[in-house]
Amino acid sequence: MFTDKEARIVKKTLQNDFAALTMESPAIAPHCFPGQFLMVRVLPQQYPLLRRPLSIHDRIQSRLSLFFKITGEGTALLARKNEGDTVDILGPLGRGFTFDRNFKAKPVYVVGGGRGIAPLYFLAGELKKRRVHVRIFYGGKNSKELPLLAKMRSEGFNLDCSTEDGSYGIQGMVTDLLKKSFKSELPAFLYACGPEAMMKNVYILASEHGVSSEFSLESIMGCGIGACWGCVKRIRKDGIGTWVKICEDGPVFPGQDIIWEKND
Amino acid sequence: MIDLSIDLGFLKLKNPVLAASGTFGYGLEFAPYIDLNKLGGFVVKGLYFNAREGNPPPRLVETPAGLINAIGLQGIGVKKFTNEILPRLLEFRTALIINVCGDDEEEYARVAEHLDGRKGISALELNISCPNLKQDGRCPAMDPDSTYRVVKRVKNATSTPLITKLSPNVTDITAIAISAHEAGSHALSLVNTFLALAISLEDRKPKLGNVFGGLSGPCIKPLALRMVYQTSSRLDIPLIGIGGISSGRDALEFMVCGAKAVQVGTANFINPDATVAIIAEIEEFCRQEGISRVEDIVGTLKETVKKSRL
Ligand SMILES: Cc1cc2nc3c(=O)[nH]c(=O)nc-3n(C[C@H](O)[C@H](O)[C@H](O)COP(=O)(O)OP(=O)(O)OC[C@H]3O[C@@H](n4cnc5c(N)ncnc54)[C@H](O)[C@@H]3O)c2cc1C
Ligand SMILES: Cc1cc2nc3c(=O)[nH]c(=O)nc-3n(C[C@H](O)[C@H](O)[C@H](O)COP(=O)(O)O)c2cc1C
Ligand code: FES
């Protein structure tokens, strides 16, 4: 864990409600793994007060990228930063995906919903470097909610997409894509990140098919470093459900350890 | 060389800056970011006798320049603390203060007894002021008699110096301060969080799992400062000022209003090195103002109103 109070933005792209920022951070970049996150200070003032947790979206040598959806004031202000501006970041934090596994030449599924694709892009890239056969399943409300599509396609990723309105890929949910695919093959492992209801359904489907999985969870964070007990989720530890700090023990957890919230 | 040390009578501090309970974990969480030896001290997360589950999430809501929390004192319990954490804290040369909690007077006393005489513990801070435990936000520090009873009971259970942490959710904080003082508290820390509510307008639902929470952060500073001044004007007992401190200037304002030391809470979340930065800023201010001993600034607010009017 390191602080970089002046990570310089070297590239910024905006696409609909999404922003990508690439920063030069030799202090932090070399230590990052997929699934870990940064706590990002939006502005040096007292509003917005808290840092925002954002996943590490990519890392190339001393550079780090963030990819986020503008959902509120913090992310809106962050998206207003420009190339040459600096950002105060803290990280890498948390435990990421465990991806140095023996997949026995079987495919590995990476399942993203909306902005949940952010950490999965970094993961898929690392898997690809290790010559793992990666298949990405990507779902969103409509084609605008699949922001990284063109980029991933141009980089040669194997992609299956779904949109709820049918504006791109099949009409339906990402679980519909998975159901279909599970009929012909079962992956060695499944990684997912997205809205909690989606992840829960993905978990149910994967476990019905005996597929092991990991999920990246979200929660409001006070500190990101295990000091406030603000970010807890219900997790099974030694068989017992307890409130676990996701900034420290997560944000990535094995599917079978997560006690999913009941749907409303 | 500026003398930053502070003498609380029962405890000498390297400097006036402590980290506040609940915002600093058990201290170790901050060791990767700062040299803990540089602090005046730190107060660990509140401890009950047994481990506690805490409240259901969401536990945090951000507000303009503030934070509402309803953690509900999740924690490992005092036995696990003394077995697993305390030995690792002994290497640090800074004041270690344990925040003591209880569901009733007996539990406060049991925690204090368990900690009594242990090496490395400088003082106990009695948390009689957490607003997140009962549905209506009630706590012993809202009533002079309950305050007196808890402090007295713990005083009989331990020889470790006692700091009583007061709640701002009262009409007259000085009445509670007097009770704690009379019951034998060596010092007072003020304030804990302000009972607060945040709701989602669209959903017509409270934003926190516990409905109410406690407000902290820069937005509470003027309220806390007023309470410290009121208390220091009426009572002769060491005060530790808390509430929205995020700079050396904030800390010094509390000292001018009568606090001998301060605690830094929410600011630790924004910058893990906030405490150390604040110490450096205090030193710098003293240098600029030609103050050679920081303790000399305590209680130097020039009166424009008579104390009797406060
Ligand atoms: C480990 C982790 C990684 C994340 N990675 C990404 C990412 O890569 N890309 C991305 O688009 N989003 C990501 N998020 C969600 C992102 O943190 C929120 O969208 C963001 O904090 C919203 O801030 P805001 O000020 O725009 O919204 P507001 O609603 O104004 O925020 C108010 C407060 O709530 C918090 N908050 C609101 N929504 C969330 C949420 N879903 N999760 C956590 N805190 C929230 C904010 O941090 C802030 O403290 C991640 C969340 C976590 C916990
Ligand atoms: C997340 C959180 C947890 C807290 N937990 C405790 C606690 O366990 N015991 C306690 O006495 N005070 C607790 N407090 C109160 C702080 O110690 C402090 O009194 C309060 O936050 C005001 O200071 P600040 O504005 O600098 O944060 C907590 C505050 C926060 C924000
Ligand atoms: S965000 Fe503070 S403990 Fe996880």
Side-chain angles (χ1 to χ4, degrees):
Chain A
M1 308 92 114
F2 305 90
T3 40
D4 185 345
K5 301 205 182 211
E6 291 190 319
R8 195 161 297 279
I9 299 172
V10 292
K11 189 163 179 258
K12 165 181 162 176
T13 44
L14 287 175
Q15 187 189 348
N16 301 319
D17 287 343
F18 293 87
L21 295 180
T22 302
M23 301 161 296
E24 184 70 40
S25 181
I28 295 180
H31 310 284
C32 298
F33 291 101
Q36 290 187 297
F37 64 98
L38 302 178
M39 287 298 276
V40 181
R41 183 135 188 225
V42 174
L43 292 173
Q45 290 88 300
Q46 292 178 334
Y47 181 82
L49 185 67
L50 298 174
R51 288 172 183 264
R52 268 41 181 170
L54 291 169
S55 301
I56 297 155
H57 169 57
D58 201 7
R59 185 261 319 269
I60 300 171
Q61 285 157 357
S62 60
R63 290 184 173 183
L64 280 176
S65 303
L66 299 174
F67 181 80
F68 56 93
K69 183 169 182 182
I70 299 166
T71 52
E73 252 172 302
T75 44
L77 288 164
L78 194 59
R80 244 177 262 161
K81 296 230 180 203
N82 287 312
E83 286 162 22
D85 291 348
T86 59
V87 195
D88 175 352
I89 56 178
L90 182 66
L93 300 167
R95 291 195 206 166
F97 297 104
T98 55
F99 57 96
D100 272 318
R101 295 170 170 262
N102 180 1
F103 299 115
K104 301 194 177 121
K106 287 212 285 186
V108 166
Y109 284 13
V110 169
V111 186
R115 66 174 190 222
I117 199 71
L120 298 174
Y121 176 80
F122 187 13
L123 172 71
E126 289 297 314
L127 289 169
K128 210 165 121 186
K129 274 187 212 158
R130 287 163 178 74
R131 302 187 181 284
V132 175
H133 173 33
V134 184
R135 287 187 64 185
I136 300 177
F137 295 83
Y138 191 16
K141 281 201 176 66
N142 51 52
S143 58
K144 281 193 178 151
E145 296 281 316
L146 300 176
L148 284 178
L149 195 63
K151 184 175 179 199
M152 291 192 295
R153 181 137 287 158
S154 72
E155 290 170 12
F157 282 105
N158 182 329
L159 270 165
D160 287 275
C161 298
S162 65
T163 49
E164 285 169 35
D165 66 354
S167 54
Y168 190 86
I170 68 144
Q171 181 167 11
M173 313 286 266
V174 80
T175 38
D176 296 322
L177 292 171
L178 286 177
K179 266 183 212 154
K180 211 171 118 214
S181 190
F182 281 170
K183 283 184 187 144
S184 51
E185 68 174 17
L186 288 180
F189 205 87
L190 181 152
Y191 300 95
C193 181
E196 195 142 326
M198 172 215 120
M199 290 198 283
K200 183 179 174 182
N201 290 332
V202 169
Y203 171 70
I204 292 169
L205 200 62
S207 62
E208 279 169 4
H209 289 81
V211 175
S212 304
S213 55
E214 279 181 353
F215 295 82
S216 181
L217 301 181
E218 278 184 8
S219 174
I220 297 182
M221 292 188 172
C223 66
I225 60 172
C228 75
W229 280 264
C231 61
V232 299
K233 287 272 181 185
R234 206 78 181 160
I235 301 291
R236 243 174 239 110
K237 264 195 158 176
D238 307 319
I240 303 162
T242 45
W243 297 120
V244 166
K245 296 183 258 187
I246 74 159
C247 67
E248 204 174 52
D249 288 2
V252 175
F253 292 94
Q256 74 270 14
D257 289 354
I258 301 167
I259 301 177
W260 300 96
E261 277 165 36
K262 292 198 178 65
N263 296 339
D264 278 336
Chain B
M1 216 18 211
I2 290 153
D3 180 5
L4 289 179
S5 69
I6 294 288
D7 190 355
L8 296 176
F10 60 96
L11 176 64
K12 286 202 169 49
L13 301 172
K14 259 181 223 181
N15 63 63
V17 179
L18 311 165
S21 178
T23 64
F24 210 65
Y26 297 117
L28 297 167
E29 290 83 349
F30 284 77
Y33 301 98
I34 57 171
D35 179 0
L36 294 173
N37 297 314
K38 286 194 175 159
L39 304 182
F42 60 89
V43 191
V44 297
K45 175 72 187 166
L47 289 166
Y48 281 84
F49 196 75
N50 294 317
R52 295 260 302 198
E53 270 262 275
N55 289 327
R59 290 179 170 184
L60 300 172
V61 185
E62 193 176 323
T63 60
L67 169 67
I68 310 179
N69 89 82
I71 309 293
L73 287 161
Q74 181 170 356
I76 59 175
V78 74
K79 281 190 190 153
K80 194 165 175 186
F81 173 79
T82 48
N83 288 337
E84 294 176 19
I85 309 283
L86 186 57
R88 294 164 64 197
L89 295 177
L90 294 179
E91 68 172 276
F92 300 108
R93 287 173 310 282
T94 183
L96 170 63
I97 298 171
I98 314 294
N99 189 256
V100 173
C101 304
D103 278 333
D104 51 33
E105 290 152 37
E106 283 317 303
E107 187 171 9
Y108 283 101
R110 276 178 84 196
V111 176
E113 259 161 28
H114 181 82
L115 293 168
D116 194 30
R118 282 183 204 265
K119 206 173 134 217
I121 298 176
S122 307
L124 305 183
E125 181 179 64
L126 289 181
N127 178 9
I128 55 167
S129 46
C130 181
N132 294 328
L133 304 170
K134 304 241 164 76
Q135 263 293 306
D136 58 0
R138 288 205 67 81
C139 60
M142 284 181 168
D143 174 71
D145 295 336
S146 328
T147 299
Y148 185 90
R149 280 200 302 273
V150 177
V151 178
K152 193 82 193 166
R153 180 70 190 84
V154 177
K155 178 95 182 160
N156 290 333
T158 180
S159 53
T160 315
L162 294 185
I163 303 164
T164 305
K165 186 159 176 182
L166 304 185
S167 165
N169 304 309
V170 292
T171 324
D172 177 9
I173 197 162
T174 63
I176 314 288
I178 290 167
S179 275
H181 185 40
E182 283 174 358
S185 192
H186 296 82
L188 305 175
S189 52
L190 59 166
V191 289
N192 210 314
T193 54
F194 287 77
L195 190 60
L197 173 65
I199 65 165
S200 157
L201 179 59
E202 283 71 26
D203 301 334
R204 316 277 202 279
K205 279 185 185 164
K207 284 192 177 173
L208 291 168
N210 187 52
V211 185
F212 292 161
L215 181 65
S216 65
C219 64
I220 70 167
K221 198 193 89 181
L223 298 162
L225 200 60
R226 180 261 298 174
M227 291 182 166
V228 166
Y229 185 53
Q230 283 178 314
T231 310
S232 73
S233 304
R234 283 216 38 200
L235 241 75
D236 193 16
I237 179 173
L239 300 183
I240 302 172
I242 321 170
I245 296 172
S246 33
S247 67
R249 297 182 70 88
D250 290 342
L252 287 160
E253 286 183 21
F254 275 87
M255 296 180 76
V256 167
C257 289
K260 280 208 159 187
V262 296
Q263 290 181 17
V264 176
T266 305
N268 292 305
F269 299 163
I270 294 124
N271 278 324
D273 61 0
T275 44
V276 172
I278 289 169
I279 295 164
E281 287 163 16
I282 292 175
E283 192 168 11
E284 182 53 30
F285 181 89
C286 290
R287 186 169 297 123
Q288 280 174 12
E289 298 263 321
I291 299 164
S292 59
R293 224 175 66 112
V294 74
E295 202 164 331
D296 291 343
I297 208 169
V298 174
T300 52
L301 187 72
K302 294 177 186 138
E303 299 265 344
T304 52
V305 284
K306 282 210 160 41
K307 272 184 188 168
S308 59
R309 298 245 310 265
L310 290 168

